[in-house]
Amino acid sequence: NWSVAPGNLILLADPELAVEDTPAIAGLQLQQNHPNPFNPATSIGFSLGAGGSVVLDVHDASGRTVIRRDLGWLESGYHETVWRGNDTGGRAVPSGVYFYRVSLGDRSQTRRMVLLR
């Protein structure tokens, strides 16, 4: 299934894929983005053990929020979203280290990615 989230993110979902819980965050497993480093876009995959409201945040190395997207209610299973290296206003962000966080309720996981322009 394909669905388009507002702004610079595209959400891909396949609720049929199995999810494996990690000991650190049961019910949420965040994958490393690919490609990494990337230019101009990267895919961010994550698995949910149960359905819920999901939010994706991208922060720059100084901790400022670059973009925040409410991905809405997603069913359990594997999901993937694409970040195109733009901020909330649609402007291209510079090369650098960025951190992405996926949150499901009170659970979240964060990983690092590198954008090379």
Side-chain angles (χ1 to χ4, degrees):
N1 297 335
W2 286 79
S3 62
V4 178
N8 306 311
L9 300 173
I10 297 172
L11 181 65
L12 310 165
D14 186 352
E16 299 301 316
L17 294 176
V19 63
E20 294 179 12
D21 293 341
T22 60
I25 307 291
L28 174 61
Q29 185 177 32
L30 181 59
Q31 305 296 314
Q32 184 63 50
N33 68 301
H34 61 89
N36 189 32
F38 69 96
N39 179 10
T42 190
S43 295
I44 299 169
F46 56 94
S47 295
L48 306 176
S53 183
V54 178
V55 175
L56 170 73
D57 293 296
V58 176
H59 301 275
D60 64 17
S62 66
R64 288 184 296 252
T65 300
V66 173
I67 194 165
R68 179 181 180 92
R69 287 290 178 245
D70 181 349
L71 301 178
W73 181 272
L74 299 177
E75 297 297 324
S76 63
Y78 181 79
H79 303 272
E80 192 169 279
T81 188
V82 176
W83 181 49
R84 301 195 180 284
N86 295 331
D87 65 13
T88 302
R91 297 171 296 267
V93 298
S95 295
V97 174
Y98 293 87
F99 297 88
Y100 59 98
R101 179 178 62 221
V102 171
S103 301
L104 172 67
D106 62 352
R107 295 165 286 184
S108 67
Q109 286 188 325
T110 303
R111 291 194 182 254
R112 182 176 65 117
M113 60 184 162
V114 177
L115 170 61
L116 296 177
R117 293 256 183 224

